[in-house]
Each structure stands twice: as C-alpha cells, then as structure tokens.
Amino acid sequence: MADSTSELDAAAGRLDQALTALEGRFRALKAQSRGGEGDLFDQDRARLAEDLDRARARARDLEDAAAEASAALGRAAEHVRLILTAEE
C-alpha cells in the first residue's frame, strides 16, 4: 500500500509540474499575441481592411465605367432613332 501511495504522489507531482509548464506556456503565448512582434489578429485585420479599400475603389471604377457605357449606349440609341426617323 505504501508503494501505491508513493507512486500516486509521484504521479501527482509530475502532473503538477506539467500543469505548471502548460500554464507558463499559455501565459507566454497570450503575452506574445498582445504585443510581441505584432498581433496576428491586428495584422489580418489591417490586411483585410486594405483588401476592402481596394475592392471598394475597384467597385467605384466599375460603376463609373458602367455609367459611361450606359450614357454612350443612350447616345448611340438616340442617334439610331434619329437616322431611322429621317429615313421614314
């Protein structure tokens, strides 16, 4: 019985050491994510914000091009109507 108690105490000690090491690693990772060489979440957020800005600029360019194309088609349609009306 004494052997099983000492084995249990030894196992509990190893478990305690492992938990202490795990807590230390967790604290280190948490601290690193807050500052360190730059928070990965902040880096992703900044990259996504830049991508969104580029996409919005591209959307504005496409809207402008679509408006210009629509105006040109309107002028062409009016020109065709004038020609067809003149031929009647």
Side-chain angles (χ1 to χ4, degrees), residues 6-61:
S6 64
E7 288 176 16
L8 186 58
D9 288 341
R14 288 191 304 273
L15 179 59
D16 187 49
Q17 288 176 345
L19 287 173
T20 301
L22 182 60
E23 288 172 351
R25 182 68 178 137
F26 178 75
R27 278 191 224 103
L29 287 172
K30 191 174 180 182
Q32 180 182 1
S33 72
R34 285 189 200 149
E37 295 176 8
D39 188 5
L40 295 178
F41 293 117
D42 288 341
Q43 291 172 8
D44 284 346
R45 189 178 307 120
R47 182 183 49 80
L48 290 172
E50 289 173 5
D51 290 348
L52 181 59
D53 288 344
R54 281 193 297 273
R56 284 180 175 162
R58 178 72 175 139
R60 281 191 300 272
D61 291 345

Side-chain angles (χ1 to χ4, degrees), residues 80-88:
V80 169
R81 270 191 227 100
L82 290 174
I83 291 172
L84 292 174
T85 304
E87 290 180 1
E88 291 178 355

